[in-house]
Amino acid sequence: MIRKTSLILGLLIFAAVPAFAKRTVCTITLNSEHEKRLFTSKYKKEGMDFKELTDFKSDNNDKNWFDKACASGVKCDALIISGHFGGTFFGEDTNLTLPLQTLEKKACSKSCEGILSQPKEVYLFGCNTLADKVKDRRTPEQYREILLNDGISEAYVDRIVAARYSPVGESFKSTMQKVFAGVPQIYGFDSIGPSGKTVSSFLKNYLKQIPNYSERLDSLEAEKVVAQLSKANEINEKFSGPWNVSMKGTAYASCSGSVPGPREECKLFDPNASQFEKMVTVENLLNKDDRKDHFLAIEEYLNSVDMTKLSANEAEVLNRIKANSVAANELKKLTPKLNSVLETKFPLLDLAGKVGWMSKSEVNQEIEDSMRVAMKGSGLTSAKVQAFCSIRNPPDMNSFKTSSSWFQNSGFLSVVGCWQGEISKSLPTGVVSELSRQLDSTDPDTAVSAMGMIKSSVKTDPALQMKVASLLYSKEISISASAMSALGNVKNPSQEVINIVAKGLDSANPDVQKRSAFTIRNMGIQDEILKRRALQIAPQMQPW
């Protein structure tokens, strides 16, 4: 009887919606445009408005584009997201990303309801967007091979595999249901999803079954009202039927958004909650049986907290958290198993260090062990470089045990650069020595990376200055350019270094002459004869 009353009430509310109300389909296109094109060509003639949300970007490196889209007030009747997915939506030809954590924060703060809560249906085109925690029938290696064969570049494959096999955090399906709470229908994939080109034929068949999209959205809107009134979690199976039939042969999946309501973890990102309330929330979440589902959200919050400036009450909560041996042991058992999921392992180590479950030396040892595993075989992939660079509290290179062979890998040198920040920290003598050897590397990327690492040391080391000066005349432009940059920091060069730099002025090659001239200027050499010769070669350097 209650269900029947709710249905009647829902239909009455639906009847009050103007039939001529114009619908807006929002798209977020981070990779393939096939999906957007098919929807647009099929339904634009119905008078649908199509709004591409990435158009709110200022450029392809804009990290705030989604904030701008949310703040615009756009209201989406349907949302289509297309991109690779590995805990973050991303693409191969753009630096724009949409992390799941960003979506979770927006959902918690209710600061993006027009995009996350307003839609009647959401399409998530990407691998694993609705994956649960059921173990995939493939091994991670098999999964990786399939992704590579599907045309996804190696730089991104590791991120997708790592996200799919991570034992930490809620399932993607559960998280998406919370992000899109109250949305009647969510469509996606619970394993490897078809690429943009591959999905086209499936999607064409699907759209053929929905001749009038406006009517479909009207029906879903009525169901949405009913679902909210009755607290129902599922919408009539008739809405997922066309999807299931058309996507047969893929890892298709569908579900409804969860029932809107308060979520305890949302308090961590509530601007109106006090820090004490948030610390108590952390404690409560860590006392739950599903605590590992909340580890990453807790780490994200604690990253913004200065543990040295806690009030007495907050410090008392922290002490109780530190004494939570059940949570501590659960985390410690997890981390050694996560060497193939570094994007998850490192935040857990940061959390353990923050709350006192692991000492700094223990955290560093775990990072060192991870590097040793990662450097086996061909060395660091770009995804692993990104993971090591994401470490919030990197180890001190003075105590980090390295192998000489690691320095021959440009990826490892990139990690050292990340850990040293802007290379403002002085590197240990042993590290500088290893880096100096790589200046002679046959791999230009390795030589250039090494040069960037030792800029500070070049300022004060005459022997190193001479070695770098000789690289001014490398046939590799990237190496000679890096040498020019490093030598620009040298303000009191020895005569031997000046002689090496100045010999380029006598070269028959105009490019070599200019390299020499500009380096003489950048080093501030005041020898009047050399200055005149340099200015004759590059008069644009006036005034000097």
Side-chain angles (χ1 to χ4, degrees):
M1 184 66 185
I2 293 174
R3 173 67 180 167
K4 185 175 180 181
T5 303
S6 298
L7 179 60
I8 292 171
L9 182 55
L11 292 174
L12 286 172
I13 294 173
F14 167 55
V17 177
F20 55 84
K22 200 166 188 178
R23 300 292 190 180
T24 299
V25 178
C26 297
T27 55
I28 296 176
T29 309
L30 295 172
N31 205 52
S32 162
E33 292 199 355
H34 290 80
E35 299 89 343
K36 179 171 78 171
R37 284 200 205 107
L38 286 171
F39 271 88
T40 304
S41 62
K42 175 77 174 175
Y43 298 126
K44 197 157 191 178
K45 59 190 176 185
E46 289 185 22
M48 293 277 175
D49 273 344
F50 281 81
K51 183 71 175 175
E52 175 57 54
L53 300 185
T54 62
D55 287 345
F56 284 98
K57 69 182 184 297
S58 57
D59 54 49
N60 272 340
N61 294 302
D62 189 349
K63 294 183 178 179
N64 300 313
W65 68 271
F66 191 67
D67 292 335
K68 296 172 187 175
C70 293
S72 72
V74 63
K75 295 185 182 299
C76 309
D77 292 291
L79 175 64
I80 302 166
I81 304 180
S82 173
H84 293 315
F85 181 73
T88 293
F89 285 101
F90 61 96
E92 299 201 32
D93 296 318
T94 178
N95 290 327
L96 299 183
T97 62
L98 183 57
L100 192 50
Q101 283 182 322
T102 297
L103 292 173
E104 286 187 274
K105 284 184 181 180
K106 293 292 186 186
C108 276
S109 64
K110 299 187 182 301
S111 59
C112 199
E113 293 192 287
I115 296 172
L116 303 183
S117 301
Q118 179 81 11
K120 304 355 171 235
E121 59 180 6
V122 172
Y123 293 87
L124 304 173
F125 289 101
C127 296
N128 307 308
T129 50
L130 291 181
D132 53 28
K133 285 294 184 180
V134 175
K135 189 173 181 180
D136 195 274
R137 66 183 183 276
R138 308 172 184 87
T139 66
E141 291 73 23
Q142 291 170 331
Y143 200 89
R144 188 177 190 277
E145 192 63 30
I146 291 171
L147 290 171
L148 288 171
N149 291 338
D150 203 32
I152 299 175
S153 60
E154 192 168 3
Y156 302 107
V157 163
D158 287 340
R159 288 169 61 181
I160 297 173
V161 174
R164 177 65 181 88
Y165 287 87
S166 172
V168 179
E170 289 186 279
S171 71
F172 291 138
K173 178 181 178 180
S174 175
T175 304
M176 291 298 187
Q177 286 181 299
K178 291 178 180 179
V179 166
F180 299 109
V183 172
Q185 282 293 96
I186 307 171
Y187 304 96
F189 302 89
D190 60 14
S191 187
I192 295 173
S195 64
K197 289 181 181 179
T198 305
V199 81
S200 294
S201 59
F202 294 99
L203 197 50
K204 284 177 183 177
N205 290 333
Y206 172 67
L207 297 179
K208 281 178 185 177
Q209 299 180 64
I210 308 171
N212 190 311
Y213 198 47
S214 297
E215 286 184 2
R216 177 181 176 80
L217 291 175
D218 288 343
S219 299
L220 280 164
E221 185 162 28
E223 292 284 355
K224 180 174 182 176
V225 174
V226 172
Q228 288 178 337
L229 291 174
S230 65
K231 304 296 184 184
N233 288 319
E234 300 296 332
I235 299 296
N236 194 309
E237 288 184 0
K238 67 184 179 184
F239 288 105
S240 60
W243 176 261
N244 296 345
V245 171
S246 303
M247 293 290 164
K248 194 171 183 180
T250 73
Y252 66 86
S254 63
C255 61
S256 297
S258 61
V259 177
R263 294 163 49 198
E264 187 173 12
E265 64 268 27
C266 284
K267 185 165 281 188
L268 297 178
F269 307 105
D270 181 354
N272 297 315
S274 68
Q275 185 162 288
F276 174 72
E277 290 176 307
K278 293 179 181 181
M279 291 294 291
V280 170
T281 299
V282 168
E283 181 183 21
N284 292 340
L285 291 173
L286 290 173
N287 282 329
K288 291 187 172 184
D289 291 339
D290 64 350
R291 63 184 63 80
K292 76 175 186 297
D293 290 348
H294 304 292
F295 280 158
L296 296 179
I298 291 170
E299 188 274 337
E300 180 77 13
Y301 163 64
L302 290 180
N303 180 53
S304 65
V305 177
D306 186 341
M307 294 301 202
T308 64
K309 295 181 179 179
L310 297 179
S311 68
N313 288 337
E314 292 160 2
E316 188 177 333
V317 176
L318 178 61
N319 286 334
R320 293 200 297 268
I321 291 172
K322 184 176 182 179
N324 187 336
S325 59
V326 175
N329 289 335
E330 187 167 345
L331 182 145
K332 288 180 181 180
K333 286 179 182 177
L334 277 172
T335 51
K337 304 173 184 177
L338 295 174
N339 283 323
S340 62
V341 200
L342 297 179
E343 293 86 347
T344 301
K345 178 173 184 173
F346 294 145
L348 294 194
L349 292 177
D350 184 64
L351 171 60
K354 273 270 188 183
V355 301
W357 291 342
M358 294 175 73
S359 67
K360 178 67 175 174
S361 62
E362 288 176 314
V363 171
N364 287 352
Q365 185 62 55
E366 284 282 356
I367 295 173
E368 193 178 302
D369 291 344
S370 300
M371 180 64 77
R372 191 162 286 107
V373 172
M375 287 299 297
K376 288 180 179 177
S378 58
L380 296 180
T381 63
S382 60
K384 288 179 180 176
V385 168
Q386 290 177 355
F388 278 101
C389 282
S390 72
I391 294 173
R392 300 192 197 275
N393 298 292
D396 185 345
M397 291 303 295
N398 282 290
S399 56
F400 194 72
K401 296 182 182 67
T402 60
S403 166
S404 294
S405 62
W406 294 0
F407 289 91
Q408 298 170 25
N409 183 282
S410 59
F412 178 72
L413 298 187
S414 296
V415 171
V416 175
C418 291
W419 290 354
Q420 297 299 124
E422 296 299 316
I423 318 301
S424 55
K425 303 175 187 175
S426 59
L427 287 165
T429 303
V431 174
V432 173
S433 176
E434 292 287 358
L435 290 170
S436 299
R437 292 192 186 98
Q438 303 316 312
L439 297 182
D440 299 321
S441 173
T442 55
D443 176 18
D445 289 340
T446 299
V448 169
S449 295
M451 194 100 64
M453 301 296 108
I454 58 175
K455 269 187 179 181
S456 296
S457 300
V458 171
K459 290 181 184 179
T460 56
D461 187 332
L464 199 51
Q465 290 171 16
M466 291 181 66
K467 187 165 188 175
V468 172
S470 67
L471 294 175
L472 260 183
Y473 311 113
S474 170
K475 293 180 180 178
E476 289 288 343
I477 298 301
S478 59
I479 294 177
S480 64
S482 295
M484 287 178 66
S485 175
L487 291 170
N489 294 319
V490 180
K491 298 306 176 187
N492 295 296
S494 65
Q495 189 59 49
E496 290 87 352
V497 171
I498 293 174
N499 291 342
I500 294 173
V501 171
K503 76 175 185 179
L505 299 177
D506 298 320
S507 172
N509 186 327
D511 288 335
V512 172
Q513 288 181 338
K514 287 180 181 178
R515 282 184 226 168
S516 176
F518 275 97
T519 305
I520 290 170
R521 191 276 304 273
N522 293 342
M523 293 173 71
I525 296 173
Q526 296 302 314
D527 183 306
E528 289 302 323
I529 297 175
L530 288 181
K531 281 183 69 172
R532 278 197 301 273
R533 293 188 63 196
L535 287 171
Q536 287 173 347
I537 292 168
Q540 66 268 40
M541 293 191 307
Q542 286 281 17
W544 186 333

